[in-house]
Amino acid sequence: MEQDEKREVFYTKQQLARLIWPLLLEQFLAVTMGLADTFMVSSVSEAAVSSVSLVDTLNVLIFQILSALASGGAVVVSQYMGQKNYKQMKKCSAQLYSVLLISTGVTMIAAVIGSRGILRFIFGSIDDQVMGNAQIYFLISAVSYPFMGAYSAGAALFRAQGNSKVSMKASLVMNVINIFGNAMLIYGLRMGVTGAAVATLAGRIFSAIWVMMQQQKADNPYRIEKLSDLRPEMRQIRPILVIGVPSGLENGMFQIGKLCVSSLTATLGTSAIAANAVANTVATVANIPGNTIGLAVIPVIGRCLGAGDKEQAKRYAKLLMNIAFVGLAVMNLAVYVSIPAVAQAYHLTEAAKGMCIDVIQLFCIFSIFFWALSFALPQVLRSGGDAKYTMSVSILSMWIFRVVLSYFFVLQMDMGLIGVWLGMCIDWICRSIFFSIRFFNGKWMEHKVI
Protein backbone atom coordinates (compact mmCIF):
# COMPACT_ATOMS: atom_id res chain seq x y z
CA MET A 1 0.00 0.00 0.00
CA GLU A 2 2.79 2.40 0.89
CA GLN A 3 4.53 1.55 -2.39
CA ASP A 4 1.37 2.43 -4.34
CA GLU A 5 1.09 5.75 -2.51
CA LYS A 6 4.69 6.64 -3.39
CA ARG A 7 4.30 5.67 -7.06
CA GLU A 8 4.88 8.63 -9.37
CA VAL A 9 1.78 9.76 -11.23
CA PHE A 10 3.04 10.60 -14.71
CA TYR A 11 -0.05 12.45 -15.95
CA THR A 12 -2.80 14.02 -13.89
CA LYS A 13 -6.22 14.58 -15.45
CA GLN A 14 -5.30 18.23 -15.96
CA GLN A 15 -2.06 17.30 -17.72
CA LEU A 16 -3.87 14.85 -19.99
CA ALA A 17 -6.39 17.54 -20.84
CA ARG A 18 -3.58 19.99 -21.67
CA LEU A 19 -2.09 17.36 -23.98
CA ILE A 20 -5.33 16.24 -25.65
CA TRP A 21 -7.23 19.48 -26.27
CA PRO A 22 -4.55 21.18 -28.41
CA LEU A 23 -4.11 17.92 -30.33
CA LEU A 24 -7.86 17.79 -30.94
CA LEU A 25 -7.88 21.36 -32.23
CA GLU A 26 -4.82 20.64 -34.37
CA GLN A 27 -6.59 17.68 -35.96
CA PHE A 28 -9.61 19.86 -36.71
CA LEU A 29 -7.33 22.42 -38.32
CA ALA A 30 -5.54 19.78 -40.39
CA VAL A 31 -8.87 18.50 -41.66
CA THR A 32 -9.94 22.07 -42.42
CA MET A 33 -7.06 22.31 -44.89
CA GLY A 34 -8.27 19.22 -46.72
CA LEU A 35 -11.86 20.45 -46.69
CA ALA A 36 -10.82 23.89 -47.96
CA ASP A 37 -8.76 22.45 -50.82
CA THR A 38 -11.43 19.98 -51.90
CA PHE A 39 -14.33 22.41 -51.49
CA MET A 40 -12.66 25.33 -53.29
CA VAL A 41 -11.21 23.17 -56.06
CA SER A 42 -14.63 21.55 -56.54
CA SER A 43 -15.87 24.92 -57.78
CA VAL A 44 -13.44 24.64 -60.73
CA SER A 45 -14.50 21.26 -62.16
CA GLU A 46 -14.91 17.57 -61.34
CA ALA A 47 -11.63 16.95 -63.21
CA ALA A 48 -9.86 19.37 -60.87
CA VAL A 49 -11.21 17.83 -57.66
CA SER A 50 -10.45 14.36 -59.00
CA SER A 51 -6.81 15.26 -59.72
CA VAL A 52 -6.31 16.77 -56.24
CA SER A 53 -7.88 13.66 -54.70
CA LEU A 54 -5.61 11.26 -56.58
CA VAL A 55 -2.42 13.16 -55.73
CA ASP A 56 -3.46 13.58 -52.10
CA THR A 57 -3.77 9.81 -51.90
CA LEU A 58 -0.09 9.64 -52.88
CA ASN A 59 0.83 12.51 -50.55
CA VAL A 60 -0.84 10.71 -47.66
CA LEU A 61 1.43 7.71 -48.36
CA ILE A 62 4.50 9.93 -47.99
CA PHE A 63 3.18 11.79 -44.94
CA GLN A 64 2.20 8.54 -43.23
CA ILE A 65 5.77 7.27 -43.57
CA LEU A 66 7.03 10.60 -42.18
CA SER A 67 4.59 10.29 -39.32
CA ALA A 68 5.82 6.77 -38.56
CA LEU A 69 9.44 7.92 -38.35
CA ALA A 70 8.43 10.90 -36.19
CA SER A 71 6.42 8.59 -33.93
CA GLY A 72 9.43 6.30 -33.60
CA GLY A 73 11.46 9.26 -32.37
CA ALA A 74 8.68 10.32 -30.01
CA VAL A 75 8.49 6.82 -28.47
CA VAL A 76 12.26 6.75 -27.86
CA VAL A 77 12.36 10.28 -26.44
CA SER A 78 9.35 9.56 -24.22
CA GLN A 79 11.01 6.45 -22.81
CA TYR A 80 14.20 8.40 -22.13
CA MET A 81 12.03 10.97 -20.37
CA GLY A 82 10.54 8.21 -18.21
CA GLN A 83 14.11 7.22 -17.30
CA LYS A 84 15.01 10.91 -16.72
CA ASN A 85 17.94 10.44 -19.12
CA TYR A 86 18.00 13.99 -20.49
CA LYS A 87 21.36 13.67 -22.25
CA GLN A 88 20.09 10.88 -24.49
CA MET A 89 16.81 12.73 -25.02
CA LYS A 90 18.69 15.63 -26.55
CA LYS A 91 20.86 13.45 -28.78
CA CYS A 92 17.86 11.50 -30.00
CA SER A 93 16.01 14.72 -30.83
CA ALA A 94 18.76 15.95 -33.16
CA GLN A 95 18.96 12.57 -34.87
CA LEU A 96 15.21 12.57 -35.49
CA TYR A 97 15.59 15.82 -37.45
CA SER A 98 18.43 14.27 -39.46
CA VAL A 99 16.40 11.19 -40.35
CA LEU A 100 13.37 13.17 -41.49
CA LEU A 101 15.24 15.89 -43.40
CA ILE A 102 17.37 13.39 -45.31
CA SER A 103 14.44 11.10 -46.17
CA THR A 104 12.16 13.96 -47.28
CA GLY A 105 14.91 15.58 -49.34
CA VAL A 106 15.50 12.35 -51.27
CA THR A 107 11.75 11.84 -51.73
CA MET A 108 11.31 15.39 -53.05
CA ILE A 109 14.04 14.93 -55.69
CA ALA A 110 12.59 11.60 -56.82
CA ALA A 111 9.07 13.08 -57.07
CA VAL A 112 10.20 16.12 -59.06
CA ILE A 113 12.24 14.07 -61.53
CA GLY A 114 9.72 11.29 -62.07
CA SER A 115 6.36 12.95 -61.41
CA ARG A 116 4.53 11.96 -64.59
CA GLY A 117 5.92 8.43 -64.64
CA ILE A 118 4.97 7.91 -60.99
CA LEU A 119 1.41 9.10 -61.58
CA ARG A 120 1.02 6.91 -64.69
CA PHE A 121 2.42 3.87 -62.89
CA ILE A 122 0.09 4.25 -59.89
CA PHE A 123 -3.13 5.48 -61.48
CA GLY A 124 -2.79 4.02 -64.98
CA SER A 125 -4.78 5.51 -67.83
CA ILE A 126 -6.84 8.44 -66.59
CA ASP A 127 -8.41 11.38 -68.38
CA ASP A 128 -5.78 13.74 -69.89
CA GLN A 129 -7.25 16.77 -68.12
CA VAL A 130 -7.14 14.97 -64.76
CA MET A 131 -3.53 13.88 -65.44
CA GLY A 132 -2.43 17.41 -66.36
CA ASN A 133 -3.86 18.88 -63.17
CA ALA A 134 -2.52 15.99 -61.10
CA GLN A 135 1.05 16.50 -62.35
CA ILE A 136 0.99 20.21 -61.47
CA TYR A 137 -0.38 19.51 -57.99
CA PHE A 138 2.14 16.70 -57.40
CA LEU A 139 5.18 18.79 -58.42
CA ILE A 140 4.28 21.68 -56.11
CA SER A 141 3.38 19.26 -53.31
CA ALA A 142 6.82 17.63 -53.61
CA VAL A 143 8.55 20.91 -52.80
CA SER A 144 6.76 20.91 -49.43
CA TYR A 145 8.07 17.49 -48.32
CA PRO A 146 11.23 18.70 -46.50
CA PHE A 147 9.18 21.35 -44.72
CA MET A 148 6.69 18.72 -43.59
CA GLY A 149 9.64 16.61 -42.42
CA ALA A 150 10.94 19.43 -40.23
CA TYR A 151 7.45 20.14 -38.91
CA SER A 152 6.79 16.45 -38.14
CA ALA A 153 10.04 16.08 -36.20
CA GLY A 154 9.48 19.21 -34.12
CA ALA A 155 5.81 18.47 -33.47
CA ALA A 156 6.61 14.92 -32.31
CA LEU A 157 9.28 16.19 -29.90
CA PHE A 158 7.03 18.83 -28.36
CA ARG A 159 4.27 16.26 -27.90
CA ALA A 160 6.78 13.98 -26.18
CA GLN A 161 7.22 16.77 -23.64
CA GLY A 162 3.46 16.95 -23.15
CA ASN A 163 3.42 20.30 -24.98
CA SER A 164 1.05 20.01 -27.94
CA LYS A 165 0.30 23.75 -28.11
CA VAL A 166 3.28 24.50 -30.37
CA SER A 167 2.12 22.29 -33.26
CA MET A 168 -1.47 23.42 -32.68
CA LYS A 169 -0.52 27.10 -33.10
CA ALA A 170 1.51 26.27 -36.20
CA SER A 171 -1.46 24.39 -37.64
CA LEU A 172 -3.77 27.32 -36.89
CA VAL A 173 -1.71 29.83 -38.88
CA MET A 174 -0.95 27.26 -41.58
CA ASN A 175 -4.67 26.83 -42.17
CA VAL A 176 -5.32 30.57 -42.21
CA ILE A 177 -2.61 30.94 -44.87
CA ASN A 178 -4.03 28.03 -46.82
CA ILE A 179 -7.65 29.19 -46.78
CA PHE A 180 -6.91 32.82 -47.63
CA GLY A 181 -4.38 31.67 -50.24
CA ASN A 182 -7.01 29.42 -51.80
CA ALA A 183 -9.54 32.24 -51.87
CA MET A 184 -7.08 34.63 -53.52
CA LEU A 185 -5.46 32.22 -55.98
CA ILE A 186 -8.45 30.06 -56.94
CA TYR A 187 -11.28 32.61 -56.87
CA GLY A 188 -9.34 35.84 -57.37
CA LEU A 189 -6.59 34.91 -59.84
CA ARG A 190 -8.41 31.86 -61.32
CA MET A 191 -5.33 29.64 -60.89
CA GLY A 192 -7.36 26.49 -60.19
CA VAL A 193 -5.34 23.46 -59.04
CA THR A 194 -2.08 25.43 -59.18
CA GLY A 195 -3.51 28.00 -56.76
CA ALA A 196 -4.59 25.31 -54.29
CA ALA A 197 -1.13 23.72 -54.39
CA VAL A 198 0.75 27.02 -53.92
CA ALA A 199 -1.46 28.01 -50.97
CA THR A 200 -0.85 24.64 -49.32
CA LEU A 201 2.91 24.95 -49.89
CA ALA A 202 2.98 28.40 -48.29
CA GLY A 203 1.18 27.11 -45.21
CA ARG A 204 3.59 24.18 -44.83
CA ILE A 205 6.64 26.41 -45.14
CA PHE A 206 5.31 28.59 -42.35
CA SER A 207 4.57 25.63 -40.07
CA ALA A 208 8.11 24.30 -40.46
CA ILE A 209 9.69 27.67 -39.73
CA TRP A 210 7.45 28.23 -36.69
CA VAL A 211 8.20 24.86 -35.12
CA MET A 212 11.94 25.24 -35.75
CA MET A 213 11.92 28.66 -34.08
CA GLN A 214 10.26 27.17 -31.00
CA GLN A 215 12.69 24.26 -31.11
CA GLN A 216 15.68 26.60 -30.91
CA LYS A 217 14.50 28.60 -27.91
CA ALA A 218 17.09 28.63 -25.13
CA ASP A 219 14.79 26.99 -22.56
CA ASN A 220 13.90 24.02 -24.79
CA PRO A 221 15.63 20.82 -23.56
CA TYR A 222 15.60 19.50 -27.15
CA ARG A 223 17.39 22.53 -28.59
CA ILE A 224 20.02 21.75 -31.24
CA GLU A 225 23.19 23.43 -30.00
CA LYS A 226 25.32 23.10 -33.14
CA LEU A 227 24.99 21.78 -36.68
CA SER A 228 27.33 18.89 -35.93
CA ASP A 229 24.60 17.47 -33.66
CA LEU A 230 22.68 16.68 -36.86
CA ARG A 231 25.44 14.42 -38.19
CA PRO A 232 23.84 10.94 -38.45
CA GLU A 233 24.92 8.53 -35.70
CA MET A 234 23.62 5.01 -36.10
CA ARG A 235 23.79 4.27 -32.37
CA GLN A 236 21.26 7.06 -31.78
CA ILE A 237 19.25 6.45 -34.92
CA ARG A 238 18.84 2.68 -34.45
CA PRO A 239 16.17 2.84 -31.68
CA ILE A 240 14.19 5.34 -33.77
CA LEU A 241 14.32 3.00 -36.76
CA VAL A 242 13.38 -0.05 -34.68
CA ILE A 243 9.99 1.62 -34.13
CA GLY A 244 9.85 3.86 -37.18
CA VAL A 245 10.80 1.41 -39.95
CA PRO A 246 8.17 -1.27 -39.16
CA SER A 247 5.60 1.50 -38.65
CA GLY A 248 6.72 3.16 -41.88
CA LEU A 249 6.50 -0.13 -43.77
CA GLU A 250 3.08 -0.70 -42.25
CA ASN A 251 1.87 2.77 -43.23
CA GLY A 252 3.53 2.51 -46.61
CA MET A 253 1.99 -0.85 -47.47
CA PHE A 254 -1.33 0.36 -46.10
CA GLN A 255 -1.28 3.40 -48.37
CA ILE A 256 -0.05 1.37 -51.34
CA GLY A 257 -3.04 -0.89 -50.78
CA LYS A 258 -5.24 2.20 -50.75
CA LEU A 259 -3.61 3.35 -53.98
CA CYS A 260 -4.47 -0.01 -55.56
CA VAL A 261 -8.04 0.51 -54.42
CA SER A 262 -7.90 4.10 -55.75
CA SER A 263 -6.85 2.71 -59.13
CA LEU A 264 -9.92 0.48 -58.97
CA THR A 265 -12.05 3.50 -58.06
CA ALA A 266 -10.60 5.42 -61.03
CA THR A 267 -12.06 2.80 -63.39
CA LEU A 268 -15.57 3.59 -62.10
CA GLY A 269 -15.60 6.99 -63.80
CA THR A 270 -15.16 10.66 -62.91
CA SER A 271 -18.34 10.79 -60.80
CA ALA A 272 -17.14 7.91 -58.62
CA ILE A 273 -13.69 9.53 -58.25
CA ALA A 274 -15.28 12.83 -57.21
CA ALA A 275 -17.68 11.11 -54.79
CA ASN A 276 -14.79 9.14 -53.30
CA ALA A 277 -12.71 12.33 -52.96
CA VAL A 278 -15.40 14.14 -51.01
CA ALA A 279 -16.21 11.04 -48.95
CA ASN A 280 -12.53 10.61 -47.98
CA THR A 281 -12.33 14.24 -46.93
CA VAL A 282 -15.52 14.05 -44.86
CA ALA A 283 -14.41 10.74 -43.31
CA THR A 284 -11.33 12.47 -41.90
CA VAL A 285 -13.66 14.69 -39.88
CA ALA A 286 -15.30 11.65 -38.31
CA ASN A 287 -11.86 10.23 -37.48
CA ILE A 288 -10.61 13.31 -35.62
CA PRO A 289 -11.16 12.02 -32.03
CA GLY A 290 -9.48 8.72 -32.84
CA ASN A 291 -6.48 10.37 -34.52
CA THR A 292 -6.14 12.72 -31.55
CA ILE A 293 -5.93 9.89 -29.05
CA GLY A 294 -3.57 8.00 -31.35
CA LEU A 295 -1.13 10.91 -31.02
CA ALA A 296 -1.71 11.35 -27.29
CA VAL A 297 -0.94 7.75 -26.30
CA ILE A 298 2.65 7.89 -27.59
CA PRO A 299 4.14 10.25 -24.97
CA VAL A 300 1.88 8.92 -22.21
CA ILE A 301 2.51 5.19 -22.68
CA GLY A 302 6.14 5.71 -23.71
CA ARG A 303 6.93 7.63 -20.54
CA CYS A 304 5.28 5.02 -18.31
CA LEU A 305 7.13 2.12 -19.91
CA GLY A 306 10.42 4.05 -19.93
CA ALA A 307 10.08 4.22 -16.15
CA GLY A 308 9.17 0.51 -16.03
CA ASP A 309 5.62 1.10 -14.74
CA LYS A 310 3.47 -1.37 -16.71
CA GLU A 311 0.42 -0.98 -14.49
CA GLN A 312 0.13 2.74 -15.17
CA ALA A 313 0.79 2.15 -18.87
CA LYS A 314 -2.17 -0.23 -19.09
CA ARG A 315 -4.41 2.03 -16.98
CA TYR A 316 -3.70 5.10 -19.10
CA ALA A 317 -4.19 3.06 -22.27
CA LYS A 318 -7.68 1.96 -21.18
CA LEU A 319 -8.61 5.51 -20.17
CA LEU A 320 -7.46 7.00 -23.46
CA MET A 321 -9.18 4.30 -25.52
CA ASN A 322 -12.48 4.97 -23.70
CA ILE A 323 -12.11 8.66 -24.56
CA ALA A 324 -11.52 7.69 -28.21
CA PHE A 325 -14.68 5.53 -28.31
CA VAL A 326 -16.87 8.29 -26.90
CA GLY A 327 -15.41 10.94 -29.21
CA LEU A 328 -15.77 8.76 -32.29
CA ALA A 329 -19.38 7.91 -31.45
CA VAL A 330 -20.33 11.58 -31.12
CA MET A 331 -18.50 12.67 -34.26
CA ASN A 332 -19.69 9.83 -36.48
CA LEU A 333 -23.32 10.30 -35.48
CA ALA A 334 -23.02 13.99 -36.36
CA VAL A 335 -21.46 13.18 -39.75
CA TYR A 336 -24.07 10.49 -40.48
CA VAL A 337 -26.90 12.98 -39.98
CA SER A 338 -25.27 15.89 -41.83
CA ILE A 339 -23.77 14.15 -44.86
CA PRO A 340 -26.71 14.84 -47.26
CA ALA A 341 -26.33 18.59 -46.69
CA VAL A 342 -22.53 18.40 -46.89
CA ALA A 343 -22.60 16.46 -50.17
CA GLN A 344 -24.97 19.03 -51.63
CA ALA A 345 -22.51 21.84 -50.79
CA TYR A 346 -19.72 20.23 -52.83
CA HIS A 347 -21.39 20.86 -56.21
CA LEU A 348 -21.41 17.15 -57.07
CA THR A 349 -23.60 15.69 -59.78
CA GLU A 350 -26.64 13.76 -58.58
CA ALA A 351 -24.94 10.43 -59.27
CA ALA A 352 -21.79 11.44 -57.36
CA LYS A 353 -23.80 12.88 -54.49
CA GLY A 354 -25.78 9.66 -54.05
CA MET A 355 -22.62 7.54 -53.97
CA CYS A 356 -20.97 9.90 -51.50
CA ILE A 357 -23.90 9.74 -49.05
CA ASP A 358 -24.10 5.92 -49.23
CA VAL A 359 -20.41 5.27 -48.53
CA ILE A 360 -20.14 7.83 -45.71
CA GLN A 361 -23.17 6.46 -43.86
CA LEU A 362 -21.72 2.94 -44.13
CA PHE A 363 -18.39 4.30 -42.87
CA CYS A 364 -19.94 6.01 -39.84
CA ILE A 365 -21.71 2.88 -38.62
CA PHE A 366 -18.56 0.75 -38.67
CA SER A 367 -16.29 3.54 -37.41
CA ILE A 368 -18.17 3.89 -34.11
CA PHE A 369 -17.37 0.29 -33.15
CA PHE A 370 -14.11 -0.58 -34.89
CA TRP A 371 -12.01 2.49 -35.81
CA ALA A 372 -10.43 3.06 -32.39
CA LEU A 373 -9.45 -0.60 -32.06
CA SER A 374 -8.04 -0.61 -35.60
CA PHE A 375 -5.93 2.55 -35.47
CA ALA A 376 -5.69 4.08 -31.97
CA LEU A 377 -5.02 0.82 -30.10
CA PRO A 378 -2.00 -0.14 -32.28
CA GLN A 379 -0.43 3.18 -31.30
CA VAL A 380 -0.52 1.90 -27.72
CA LEU A 381 1.24 -1.28 -28.82
CA ARG A 382 3.89 0.65 -30.77
CA SER A 383 4.59 2.82 -27.75
CA GLY A 384 5.71 -0.36 -26.02
CA GLY A 385 7.99 -1.27 -28.93
CA ASP A 386 5.57 -3.81 -30.43
CA ALA A 387 5.88 -2.32 -33.92
CA LYS A 388 6.60 -5.57 -35.78
CA TYR A 389 3.36 -7.17 -34.58
CA THR A 390 1.22 -4.20 -35.59
CA MET A 391 3.02 -4.11 -38.95
CA SER A 392 2.32 -7.79 -39.63
CA VAL A 393 -1.35 -7.63 -38.70
CA SER A 394 -1.98 -4.38 -40.56
CA ILE A 395 -0.30 -5.44 -43.80
CA LEU A 396 -1.93 -8.89 -43.92
CA SER A 397 -5.36 -7.55 -43.05
CA MET A 398 -5.07 -4.71 -45.56
CA TRP A 399 -4.16 -6.91 -48.49
CA ILE A 400 -6.26 -9.96 -47.68
CA PHE A 401 -9.45 -8.12 -46.77
CA ARG A 402 -9.48 -4.53 -48.01
CA VAL A 403 -7.71 -4.94 -51.36
CA VAL A 404 -8.84 -8.41 -52.40
CA LEU A 405 -12.41 -7.96 -51.19
CA SER A 406 -12.70 -4.53 -52.83
CA TYR A 407 -11.80 -6.01 -56.20
CA PHE A 408 -14.16 -8.94 -55.60
CA PHE A 409 -17.07 -6.70 -54.61
CA VAL A 410 -16.52 -4.31 -57.54
CA LEU A 411 -15.50 -6.66 -60.36
CA GLN A 412 -17.43 -9.81 -59.43
CA MET A 413 -20.40 -8.47 -57.44
CA ASP A 414 -20.74 -5.23 -59.45
CA MET A 415 -21.26 -3.24 -56.23
CA GLY A 416 -19.49 -0.09 -57.45
CA LEU A 417 -18.00 2.40 -54.97
CA ILE A 418 -19.88 0.96 -51.98
CA GLY A 419 -18.00 -2.32 -52.51
CA VAL A 420 -14.67 -0.52 -52.05
CA TRP A 421 -15.77 0.92 -48.72
CA LEU A 422 -17.33 -2.35 -47.53
CA GLY A 423 -13.97 -4.09 -48.03
CA MET A 424 -12.38 -1.40 -45.85
CA CYS A 425 -14.90 -1.98 -43.04
CA ILE A 426 -14.26 -5.73 -43.04
CA ASP A 427 -10.53 -4.98 -42.78
CA TRP A 428 -11.24 -2.97 -39.59
CA ILE A 429 -13.02 -5.92 -37.97
CA CYS A 430 -10.00 -8.17 -38.52
CA ARG A 431 -7.56 -5.60 -37.13
CA SER A 432 -9.73 -4.99 -34.09
CA ILE A 433 -9.75 -8.66 -33.12
CA PHE A 434 -5.98 -9.18 -33.34
CA PHE A 435 -4.98 -5.87 -31.71
CA SER A 436 -7.41 -6.41 -28.81
CA ILE A 437 -6.02 -9.88 -28.12
CA ARG A 438 -2.47 -8.52 -28.12
CA PHE A 439 -3.35 -5.68 -25.74
CA PHE A 440 -5.05 -7.86 -23.15
CA ASN A 441 -2.37 -10.57 -23.09
CA GLY A 442 0.23 -7.89 -22.24
CA LYS A 443 2.96 -9.05 -24.64
CA TRP A 444 3.24 -5.54 -26.11
CA MET A 445 4.89 -4.36 -22.87
CA GLU A 446 7.69 -6.96 -22.97
CA HIS A 447 9.92 -5.23 -25.58
CA LYS A 448 13.15 -3.37 -24.87
CA VAL A 449 13.28 -0.12 -26.86
CA ILE A 450 16.26 1.67 -25.25
Side-chain angles (χ1 to χ4, degrees):
M1 184 69 179
E2 289 180 6
Q3 187 178 359
D4 289 341
E5 290 175 355
K6 292 178 181 178
R7 175 182 290 174
E8 178 184 359
V9 176
F10 295 107
Y11 288 89
T12 64
K13 291 181 179 179
Q14 292 76 17
Q15 288 172 324
L16 283 176
R18 286 198 296 269
L19 174 66
I20 291 171
W21 283 110
L23 286 175
L24 183 63
L25 180 55
E26 182 182 347
Q27 291 300 300
F28 269 108
L29 293 170
V31 169
T32 300
M33 178 179 287
L35 288 169
D37 276 350
T38 307
F39 182 78
M40 292 182 175
V41 171
S42 70
S43 66
V44 178
S45 66
E46 279 197 354
V49 75
S50 297
S51 65
V52 170
S53 169
L54 293 175
V55 174
D56 275 345
T57 305
L58 183 55
N59 282 336
V60 168
L61 164 62
I62 293 165
F63 295 154
Q64 287 289 333
I65 294 172
L66 285 183
S67 176
L69 292 172
S71 296
V75 169
V76 176
V77 169
S78 298
Q79 293 213 4
Y80 278 131
M81 182 178 290
Q83 290 184 352
K84 304 189 187 304
N85 190 339
Y86 301 110
K87 181 179 179 180
Q88 291 299 322
M89 283 166 52
K90 193 164 189 174
K91 287 184 178 180
C92 181
S93 301
Q95 294 303 301
L96 179 58
Y97 271 100
S98 296
V99 169
L100 286 172
L101 289 174
I102 291 170
S103 60
T104 51
V106 171
T107 304
M108 177 190 72
I109 293 169
V112 169
I113 293 173
S115 59
R116 189 171 185 84
I118 292 170
L119 292 172
R120 281 292 184 200
F121 175 76
I122 294 173
F123 299 113
S125 179
I126 55 177
D127 182 80
D128 287 340
Q129 187 178 3
V130 174
M131 173 56 78
N133 285 328
Q135 188 173 7
I136 292 170
Y137 194 76
F138 186 34
L139 283 169
I140 298 173
S141 294
V143 178
S144 75
Y145 295 164
F147 297 101
M148 288 303 293
Y151 169 81
S152 298
L157 293 173
F158 279 110
R159 290 169 193 149
Q161 299 178 62
N163 180 3
S164 53
K165 288 184 179 179
V166 170
S167 55
M168 181 269 290
K169 290 177 181 177
S171 186
L172 174 60
V173 181
M174 177 169 59
N175 277 269
V176 170
I177 292 171
N178 185 63
I179 292 171
F180 279 96
N182 277 336
M184 181 176 68
L185 298 177
I186 295 176
Y187 296 145
L189 299 180
R190 304 292 181 185
M191 291 176 63
V193 168
T194 302
V198 170
T200 301
L201 172 62
R204 288 172 178 167
I205 291 173
F206 169 83
S207 67
I209 293 172
W210 167 264
V211 170
M212 285 295 294
M213 287 173 60
Q214 304 306 306
Q215 165 79 26
Q216 291 305 104
K217 283 188 173 181
D219 60 346
N220 182 16
Y222 302 109
R223 185 173 184 268
I224 299 171
E225 300 289 347
K226 49 189 183 299
L227 287 176
S228 61
D229 292 341
L230 296 171
R231 185 184 300 116
E233 297 181 22
M234 280 310 300
R235 188 168 62 87
Q236 300 295 332
I237 292 174
R238 189 174 291 109
I240 298 173
L241 299 183
V242 166
I243 305 295
V245 169
S247 298
L249 286 173
E250 174 188 335
N251 289 346
M253 292 300 292
F254 177 75
Q255 293 302 325
I256 289 170
K258 288 184 70 175
L259 287 173
C260 291
V261 175
S262 294
S263 298
L264 175 64
T265 303
T267 67
L268 299 175
T270 301
S271 291
I273 296 174
N276 194 59
V278 174
N280 278 324
T281 303
V282 174
T284 58
V285 177
N287 291 341
I288 285 173
N291 282 323
T292 299
I293 298 304
L295 291 171
V297 299
I298 294 172
V300 175
I301 306 304
R303 187 174 175 185
C304 292
L305 293 178
D309 195 330
K310 296 179 181 179
E311 287 301 315
Q312 282 205 73
K314 202 160 189 175
R315 181 170 64 83
Y316 281 124
K318 290 178 180 178
L319 172 62
L320 290 168
M321 286 299 297
N322 286 335
I323 294 172
F325 271 111
V326 172
L328 284 167
V330 171
M331 190 64 71
N332 277 277
L333 288 172
V335 170
Y336 186 96
V337 171
S338 62
I339 186 58
V342 172
Q344 181 67 39
Y346 270 93
H347 309 288
L348 297 173
T349 62
E350 286 300 314
K353 183 174 72 173
M355 285 187 281
C356 179
I357 293 171
D358 288 343
V359 297
I360 281 295
Q361 290 185 336
L362 174 73
F363 170 92
C364 289
I365 293 169
F366 278 86
S367 180
I368 290 172
F369 300 102
F370 298 107
W371 199 96
L373 295 174
S374 299
F375 297 101
L377 185 57
Q379 287 286 63
V380 173
L381 307 185
R382 292 184 197 105
S383 298
D386 204 16
K388 289 183 180 179
Y389 179 84
T390 62
M391 175 190 70
S392 301
V393 170
S394 297
I395 291 175
L396 289 173
S397 180
M398 174 73 186
W399 287 91
I400 292 173
F401 294 100
R402 184 177 302 200
V403 176
V404 172
L405 285 181
S406 292
Y407 275 81
F408 175 76
F409 288 147
V410 172
L411 300 180
Q412 299 298 319
M413 304 292 290
D414 198 26
M415 294 176 66
L417 187 61
I418 194 76
V420 173
W421 286 65
L422 180 59
M424 174 186 70
C425 294
I426 295 172
D427 169 35
W428 292 355
I429 296 172
C430 175
R431 290 166 184 264
S432 297
I433 293 170
F434 281 93
F435 291 144
S436 296
I437 292 171
R438 189 71 164 186
F439 176 77
F440 285 109
N441 69 24
K443 290 184 179 179
W444 60 280
M445 294 186 288
E446 304 301 324
H447 299 270
K448 181 175 175 60
V449 176
I450 56 176

